[in-house]
Amino acid sequence: MGCGTSSSVKDKKSETALKAALVIQNWYRGRSAQLKTRQRYALTIFQSIEYADEQGQLQLSNFFSFMLENYTRVLEEDSELVTHLLGSNIQDKDRRDYLGLIDVPDSYCGPRLQFPLTFTDIDLLIEAFKQQQILHAYYVLEVLFETKKLLQRMPNFTHTKTSPSKEITICGDLHGKLDDLFLIYSKNGLPSVSNPYVFNGDFVDRGKNSMEILMILFVSFLVYPNDLHLNRGNHEDFMMNKRYGFTKEVLNKYKLHGKKILQILEDVYTWLPIGTIIDNEILVVHGGISESTDLNLLHRIERNKFKSVLMPPVPIDGDRATEKENKVGTTSTARGIRTNGSLSEQLTKHEWDQVIDILWSDPRGKRGCYPNTSRGGGCYFGPDITSRILNKYRLKMLIRSHECKPEGYEICHDGKVITVFSASNYYEEGSNRGAYIRVSSGTPPRFFQYQMTSATCLRPLYQRVNAVESSAIRMLKERMISRKTDLIRAFQLQDCSKSGKLSVGQWAFSMENVLGLSLPWRSLSSRLVTTDKDGNIDYMSSFQDIHIQKPVKEVQPTLIETVYRYRSDLQIIFNVIDSDHSGLISMEEFRSMWKLFTSYYSVCIDDSQLDELAERMDLNKDGSIDFNEFLKAFYVVHKFDKLNKSDTTVA
């Protein structure tokens, strides 16, 4: 009997322990799901703002056309700028013009490349970059000239074969993340005849080591031209580089010869192949396809005529009359400008559209093909379009990049489309993993994931999610403050009783109507505004912990918001005008460009306000403005930053 009682107690204890374990397990699963949802919302914010910025970048093509039609000084006095914007009359530069006057001094301690290059130069370069050494401009230019010469012999699509014993590795966007490339080479091996690679575009921009990545890839390509394949991405574009950081990186690292490097790079980009075809079964392109994708045509076009997404073809005579007033928010291409350049120097409109679709498109679950309204270029293509294009050209799979994915890759369209993204921590440390794919004939793709780690990545999941989410909310609030006047106007239109409060639905409608980011505003409201006990939102709380710093106190808020909102666009415009990279433009140029800008973008700003602001920013009164410093004067101050600063001061 005693034994029976003991057994019964043990059973009850086991049952209690099991119930406790189930409770803990359910709590953990619920908590993990909650954290994953928050992380997904944060990534959605990052991505929505990224795509909105790209849309703004593409709309600049229309502005440049408008500028050249209306900016008299450009047409009459600056033919170099006209040529730069239109891509006409570009002549091949002799290597001696660039390298003849550059010496590598004995004091240079960085890597010294020996041409013709061998595999030891790849090792040499990698080890030097790990020590944060800078490759001398002489070697950079040598590599660029040699790369261009070899690329000119390549077809638009490189064809390669695998076997069960010889896989090929496909990497997606790297975006200047050098540590990710180091990790890939460390885990997967250096390129070689037995270890081929495809790098699927977007090597540059955003990250701080784009030049190092380009040099490693180009040197690897020169050593193994048949085993390392480089596809062009939408960021291998000199106009994109002006906005997203690579131009600035080059000029900072190569103060004497940066301009020469950028000029040659602009040409190298145009010779990068459009895509790779593996085993006549797998199409690898950066962006995607559309319902009109014609691979036969894309094999034949003169790809080097595609200079930039911001430089669409000049319409034939008479087209300009029919292309009236391209407004902000459309995805139409720019109006053409009459120059003395030959139309044979550019692609046809149809050819240009084909390349844009390859570089900019994204897959979606919805059937059909429709405009990519998020990015402003390319299209969204559904599973039916994928099946149709693959069947038409007897292909089995499309591998593309172009989109950050939480796990580094994503499979869609019934397994026929794979997205691979190789830049880990793309938006923020801990925001996403990177991945690469290995494929071979007759076997399914193999996926390899990774994430560059640091001290912060070793923290618990909830702390990492908090950090990523806080960064995303911070970025979103900066977007909100740049449209403060418009948002308040939208809120007040909904606030019929003038109570200062709105329902969550009204607030969410106003936010989307003004910002157009397609975000889950209702779910995000708890992080952005304060809500009363009845569930109504105090809409002015949207701006309670953030403001734009005014460089001049008397300037109206509307002007401050406008300059801050368009600061990236303005920086590109002024950088284009500043052809000698001096960083300075005259007051007259500044006023003329601003008037054109406000006219085109329908921005209502009092000229006297801008004149006063410009004069205040001419610090040494020499009639010139350092426009980069001018734009830096407009920055967002977060309440949280102030608290941190005061804490630091006390300590």
Side-chain angles (χ1 to χ4, degrees), residues 200-267:
N200 199 26
D202 279 13
F203 320 126
V204 300
D205 279 335
R206 303 189 187 279
K208 63 182 180 180
N209 293 114
S210 295
M211 176 54 76
E212 287 78 7
I213 284 179
L214 268 190
M215 287 298 101
I216 291 174
L217 294 183
F218 286 168
V219 168
S220 300
F221 169 67
L222 291 172
V223 176
Y224 300 107
N226 298 317
D227 303 291
L228 188 132
H229 310 284
L230 301 172
N231 292 342
R232 187 174 185 177
N234 64 308
H235 278 265
E236 279 66 62
D237 181 315
F238 77 98
M239 294 295 278
M240 294 290 287
N241 296 163
K242 289 179 183 292
R243 182 178 193 134
Y244 293 103
F246 185 40
T247 297
K248 185 176 181 181
E249 177 189 331
V250 172
L251 293 175
N252 284 341
K253 289 179 178 176
Y254 298 95
K255 297 188 185 330
L256 287 178
H257 305 293
K259 184 179 178 182
K260 292 180 180 179
I261 291 170
L262 291 172
Q263 286 174 338
I264 301 304
L265 257 175
E266 179 181 335
D267 215 16

Side-chain angles (χ1 to χ4, degrees), residues 46-262:
F46 283 128
Q47 205 162 56
S48 295
I49 293 175
E50 177 189 8
Y51 293 172
D53 284 343
E54 287 183 343
Q55 186 179 95
Q57 171 83 347
L58 293 183
Q59 288 162 5
L60 278 177
S61 63
N62 294 325
F63 173 75
F64 287 136
S65 295
F66 178 80
M67 179 184 79
L68 292 175
E69 288 179 340
N70 293 276
Y71 191 16
T72 306
R73 188 196 68 78
V74 170
L75 294 173
E76 293 180 350
E77 302 175 20
D78 202 342
S79 59
E80 182 182 347
L81 175 56
V82 175
T83 297
H84 194 56
L85 284 174
L86 296 177
S88 60
N89 299 327
I90 295 177
Q91 299 177 351
D92 287 337
K93 300 292 184 182
D94 192 282
R95 182 188 299 229
R96 288 169 295 183
D97 295 337
Y98 286 86
L99 296 173
L101 300 177
I102 303 177
D103 291 320
V104 182
D106 294 337
S107 59
Y108 170 67
C109 299
R112 294 176 181 266
L113 303 180
Q114 298 291 328
F115 292 85
L117 299 169
T118 66
F119 68 91
T120 57
D121 291 292
I122 303 175
D123 282 325
L124 179 70
L125 212 52
I126 289 173
E127 291 307 312
F129 290 157
K130 284 182 179 178
Q131 301 300 317
Q132 299 183 344
Q133 295 178 355
I134 301 292
L135 183 64
H136 194 278
Y138 180 89
Y139 297 118
V140 171
L141 287 166
E142 279 270 46
V143 169
L144 292 178
F145 275 112
E146 288 296 318
T147 300
K148 177 187 171 184
K149 185 168 69 174
L150 188 54
L151 286 173
Q152 287 175 321
R153 303 202 295 264
M154 304 288 290
N156 291 347
F157 287 84
T158 53
H159 291 251
T160 186
K161 295 278 189 182
T162 67
S163 67
S165 60
K166 182 182 178 181
E167 292 181 305
I168 190 167
T169 302
I170 303 166
C171 300
D173 302 38
L174 285 167
H175 279 301
K177 299 274 191 176
L178 184 59
D179 286 342
D180 286 315
L181 181 58
F182 286 157
L183 190 147
I184 292 169
Y185 276 1
S186 173
K187 288 169 64 76
N188 196 61
L190 293 176
S192 67
V193 174
S194 60
N195 191 31
Y197 277 84
V198 176
F199 285 92
N200 199 26
D202 279 13
F203 320 126
V204 300
D205 279 335
R206 303 189 187 279
K208 63 182 180 180
N209 293 114
S210 295
M211 176 54 76
E212 287 78 7
I213 284 179
L214 268 190
M215 287 298 101
I216 291 174
L217 294 183
F218 286 168
V219 168
S220 300
F221 169 67
L222 291 172
V223 176
Y224 300 107
N226 298 317
D227 303 291
L228 188 132
H229 310 284
L230 301 172
N231 292 342
R232 187 174 185 177
N234 64 308
H235 278 265
E236 279 66 62
D237 181 315
F238 77 98
M239 294 295 278
M240 294 290 287
N241 296 163
K242 289 179 183 292
R243 182 178 193 134
Y244 293 103
F246 185 40
T247 297
K248 185 176 181 181
E249 177 189 331
V250 172
L251 293 175
N252 284 341
K253 289 179 178 176
Y254 298 95
K255 297 188 185 330
L256 287 178
H257 305 293
K259 184 179 178 182
K260 292 180 180 179
I261 291 170
L262 291 172

Side-chain angles (χ1 to χ4, degrees), residues 464-606:
R464 284 179 278 145
V465 171
N466 284 345
V468 172
E469 186 180 50
S470 296
S471 180
I473 293 298
R474 179 191 183 92
M475 186 180 292
L476 182 55
K477 286 191 172 185
E478 290 177 7
R479 200 84 177 187
M480 291 163 59
I481 199 68
S482 73
R483 302 295 300 272
K484 180 178 179 179
T485 301
D486 295 332
L487 283 170
I488 290 174
R489 188 180 299 118
F491 294 151
Q492 290 174 343
L493 284 174
Q494 295 284 327
D495 182 18
C496 299
S497 63
K498 311 300 180 187
S499 65
K501 295 185 178 181
L502 296 175
S503 68
V504 175
Q506 290 173 318
W507 176 83
F509 173 83
S510 300
M511 292 291 288
E512 183 57 36
N513 198 38
V514 172
L515 298 180
L517 294 174
S518 301
L519 290 173
W521 295 109
R522 290 172 179 267
S523 299
L524 293 171
S525 62
S526 62
R527 296 299 308 272
L528 298 172
V529 289
T530 57
T531 307
D532 66 17
K533 60 182 181 180
D534 298 320
N536 293 317
I537 287 174
D538 173 6
Y539 54 76
M540 290 306 294
S541 66
S542 304
F543 320 106
Q544 66 183 0
D545 58 353
I546 184 172
H547 71 271
I548 303 173
Q549 185 68 30
K550 293 183 181 182
V552 180
K553 291 183 179 179
E554 296 79 8
V555 176
Q556 294 176 355
T558 307
L559 175 57
I560 299 295
E561 291 171 23
T562 301
V563 174
Y564 182 77
R565 185 191 323 161
Y566 291 111
R567 66 196 184 284
S568 296
D569 294 338
L570 289 168
Q571 190 161 30
I572 292 174
I573 292 167
F574 291 139
N575 273 314
V576 167
I577 297 172
D578 178 32
S579 56
D580 65 353
H581 299 291
S582 68
L584 300 173
I585 58 171
S586 70
M587 293 285 284
E588 180 185 353
E589 287 176 320
F590 179 83
R591 291 189 178 100
S592 297
M593 289 307 304
W594 180 262
K595 286 179 181 178
L596 282 175
F597 186 83
T598 54
S599 173
Y600 181 76
Y601 282 88
S602 301
V603 175
C604 298
I605 298 293
D606 184 357

Side-chain angles (χ1 to χ4, degrees), residues 282-444:
I282 301 174
L283 174 65
V284 185
V285 294
H286 180 72
I289 55 177
S290 74
E291 60 186 352
S292 61
T293 292
D294 184 342
L295 293 184
N296 295 325
L297 172 64
L298 285 165
H299 271 80
R300 299 193 306 268
I301 66 169
E302 297 177 75
R303 68 180 185 274
N304 62 301
K305 292 181 178 179
F306 184 88
K307 306 296 181 184
S308 170
V309 67
L310 296 187
M311 294 160 50
V314 177
I316 60 174
D317 289 336
D319 282 358
R320 203 190 315 177
T322 62
E323 294 185 36
K324 298 291 186 180
E325 297 189 11
N326 289 322
K327 297 293 184 181
V328 176
T330 68
T331 58
S332 58
T333 58
R335 292 163 289 179
I337 313 300
R338 279 300 140 239
T339 69
N340 295 325
S342 169
L343 291 180
S344 65
E345 295 171 356
Q346 62 181 20
L347 297 176
T348 67
K349 175 65 166 61
H350 179 60
E351 291 171 336
W352 191 83
D353 287 340
Q354 289 276 315
V355 178
I356 290 294
D357 286 340
I358 289 289
L359 298 182
W360 283 85
S361 296
D362 295 307
R364 288 295 181 266
K366 178 182 174 183
R367 291 173 59 85
C369 184
Y370 41 103
N372 193 328
T373 52
S374 294
R375 295 186 190 269
C379 71
Y380 292 129
F381 60 97
D384 55 324
I385 303 300
T386 295
S387 295
R388 187 193 311 169
I389 297 298
L390 292 182
N391 291 338
K392 180 178 179 179
Y393 296 101
R394 299 179 180 180
L395 299 167
K396 294 183 178 179
M397 183 181 295
L398 167 65
I399 296 180
R400 42 90 62 180
S401 303
H402 195 42
E403 289 184 288
C404 176
K405 298 299 179 183
E407 298 302 318
Y409 74 94
E410 185 176 87
I411 304 171
C412 64
H413 293 187
D414 301 319
K416 294 179 180 177
V417 174
I418 297 175
T419 297
V420 59
F421 196 86
S422 299
S424 67
N425 307 309
Y426 176 59
Y427 294 116
E428 182 70 25
E429 195 162 296
S431 63
N432 66 285
R433 302 173 80 179
Y436 57 88
I437 307 171
R438 290 179 66 91
V439 298
S440 64
S441 178
T443 60

